[in-house]
């Protein structure tokens, strides 16, 4: 009997993906987790009925969450990933030789265990890199209590449902502000502006009360259905998102010009060009 897995994130819009083979389908300590094979998107992971990861297009989201802030900052040594249990953002961030250590704070141990088993190419050894430190904790608690200070915080979270809801609050962003070094950058998974406009508007509104520069950048990942995905941007380093292509090209060359499939210096700069319907949410 054919099985279809339905995404139920949006009120008036649903998507179903054919599950050619189900590898896992159960409740973890924090959320409902399904892993299945789909002929168009590859191996897919869903949490609480929302697509998190698809092996055929993960490179887009993971490259853009890591390389845009890292090349904009230019001299990040310590980074923090909140969420990101699949290891994709961690894999991309570790390609930057200047990074000395990365802490990954993931609330759900089962995500790490199951992604290590079923998505080995996503993390590609990143969990075991000597620069990686994994913490199993709620991100809100971690940023409120850690003594560490970071040049970059990447919030690779689920949507504001279930355990992810707290990662879209002023309290959490205040905690991120607390543990960012001077000139540090915060980037956040901030949903699809066409379908989740209020989410982006609210996050950037909170950023504006905490940082000198609050903005967003975009990339379109096909398995995040509903148009471009926004990344929230918050920093006191106001020049960071304004570097021209030649400056980013120099930084990319200095980092060893490692191969990418989506991020590139011109795409980096262009990602901050927001169409009016999105710009009006962040200005
Ligand atoms: N790239 C995906 C997206 O854009 O929706 C996110 C993928 S990643 C799997 C999301 C991770 O955030 C999950 O592993 C989830 O367990 C984790 N997470 C959710 N709430 C969290 C919290 N409060 N603290 C830390 N991690 C959390």
């Amino acid at each position: 009997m054919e099985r279809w897995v339905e995404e139920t994130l949006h009120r008036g819009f649903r998507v179903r993906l054919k599950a050619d083979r189900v590898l896992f389908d159960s409740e973890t300590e924090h959320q409902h987790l399904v892993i299945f094979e789909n002929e168009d998107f590859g191996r897919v992971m869903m949490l609480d009925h929302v697509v998190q990861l698809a092996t055929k297009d993960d490179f887009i989201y993971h490259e853009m969450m890591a390389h845009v802030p890292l090349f904009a900052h230019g001299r990040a040594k310590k980074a923090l990933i909140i969420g990101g249990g699949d290891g994709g953002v961690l894999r991309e961030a570790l390609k930057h030789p200047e990074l000395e250590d990365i802490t990954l704070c993931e609330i759900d141990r089962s995500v790490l265990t199951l992604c290590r088993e079923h998505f080995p190419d996503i993390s590609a050894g990143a969990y075991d890199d000597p620069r990686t430190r994994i913490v199993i904790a709620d991100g809100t608690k971690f940023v409120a209590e850690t003594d560490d200070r970071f040049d970059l915080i990447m919030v690779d979270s689920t949507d504001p449902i279930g355990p992810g809801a707290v990662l879209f609050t002023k309290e959490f962003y205040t905690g991120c502000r607390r543990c960012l070094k001077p000139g540090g950058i915060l980037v956040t998974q901030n949903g699809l502006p066409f379908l989740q406009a209020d989410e982006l508007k609210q996050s950037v509104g909170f950023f504006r009360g905490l940082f000198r520069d609050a903005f967003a950048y975009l990339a379109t990942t096909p398995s995040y259905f509903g148009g471009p995905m926004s990344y929230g941007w918050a920093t006191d380093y106001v020049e960071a998102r304004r570097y021209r292509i030649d400056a980013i090209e120099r930084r990319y060359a200095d980092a060893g010009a490692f191969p990418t499939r989506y991020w590139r210096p011109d795409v980096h700069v262009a990602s901050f060009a927001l169409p009016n319907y999105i710009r009006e949410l962040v200005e």
Side-chain angles (χ1 to χ4, degrees):
M1 200 279 270
E2 277 192 356
R3 173 160 176 200
W4 291 77
V5 182
E6 192 167 77
E7 178 172 271
T8 60
L9 174 63
H10 306 293
R11 285 187 298 274
F13 162 71
R14 289 192 173 184
V15 166
R16 293 198 309 160
L17 293 169
K18 188 159 166 287
D20 298 317
R21 188 160 71 102
V22 177
L23 300 160
F24 184 86
D25 180 357
S26 184
E27 292 296 331
T28 71
E29 189 188 347
H30 295 277
Q31 45 211 338
H32 182 227
L33 194 157
V34 185
I35 299 173
F36 61 94
E37 299 278 4
N38 172 274
E39 62 188 298
D40 294 316
F41 287 94
R43 187 164 289 189
V44 181
M45 175 170 75
M46 293 181 90
L47 287 173
D48 287 343
H49 312 290
V50 182
V51 171
Q52 301 296 309
L53 167 69
T55 51
K56 286 200 178 170
D57 69 5
D58 89 274
F59 66 93
I60 301 171
Y61 172 86
H62 291 136
E63 287 184 16
M64 289 301 280
M65 173 155 273
H67 302 321
V68 171
L70 279 164
F71 282 121
H73 188 287
R75 53 190 183 284
K77 296 205 178 323
K78 281 175 74 77
L80 169 63
I81 298 170
I82 301 290
D86 52 57
V89 173
L90 180 62
R91 173 197 79 216
E92 290 303 317
L94 285 166
K95 290 177 182 173
H96 292 255
E98 81 278 6
L99 265 185
E100 291 168 4
D101 70 70
I102 306 185
T103 299
L104 184 139
C105 174
E106 164 60 57
I107 197 167
D108 195 334
R109 188 183 300 279
S110 299
V111 171
L112 286 161
T113 311
L114 289 159
C115 285
R116 186 190 279 274
E117 179 187 351
H118 293 294
F119 294 98
D121 296 342
I122 295 292
S123 51
Y127 299 130
D128 305 313
D129 189 290
R131 291 177 289 171
T132 299
R133 180 168 74 101
I134 292 176
V135 174
I136 302 298
D138 174 348
T140 306
K141 195 166 171 348
F142 181 85
V143 295
E145 295 173 3
T146 181
D147 293 332
D148 274 340
R149 293 298 178 263
F150 303 97
D151 298 297
L152 171 59
I153 301 177
M154 296 168 275
V155 185
D156 180 18
S157 71
T158 44
D159 287 276
I161 55 173
V166 293
L167 302 181
F168 292 80
T169 61
K170 186 171 184 179
E171 178 207 358
F172 171 65
Y173 297 140
T174 304
C176 290
R177 162 96 235 178
R178 170 188 170 271
C179 57
L180 269 177
K181 287 183 194 172
I185 299 174
L186 164 66
V187 295
T188 59
Q189 183 283 98
N190 242 113
L192 309 163
F194 182 73
L195 291 164
Q196 299 165 288
D198 292 345
E199 185 185 306
L200 177 61
K201 189 181 174 88
Q202 177 179 272
S203 290
V204 176
F206 287 148
F207 296 163
R208 199 165 295 113
L210 292 163
F211 296 88
R212 289 178 57 207
D213 189 31
F215 207 65
Y217 63 99
L218 304 174
T220 298
T221 298
S223 60
Y224 299 152
F225 306 100
M229 161 75 92
S230 64
Y231 299 81
W233 179 269
T235 183
D236 289 340
Y237 181 359
V238 292
E239 302 80 16
R241 65 177 166 97
R242 293 176 168 86
Y243 288 110
R244 295 158 47 100
I245 293 173
D246 55 350
I248 302 297
E249 278 172 346
R250 276 195 301 278
R251 291 180 176 182
Y252 181 42
D254 292 349
F258 47 81
T260 59
R261 294 185 62 207
Y262 188 91
W263 183 94
R264 36 178 293 137
D266 51 357
V267 168
H268 172 117
V269 172
S271 70
F272 287 102
L274 305 183
N276 287 338
Y277 87 95
I278 298 175
R279 186 174 284 270
E280 66 195 26
L281 299 174
V282 302
E283 283 190 328

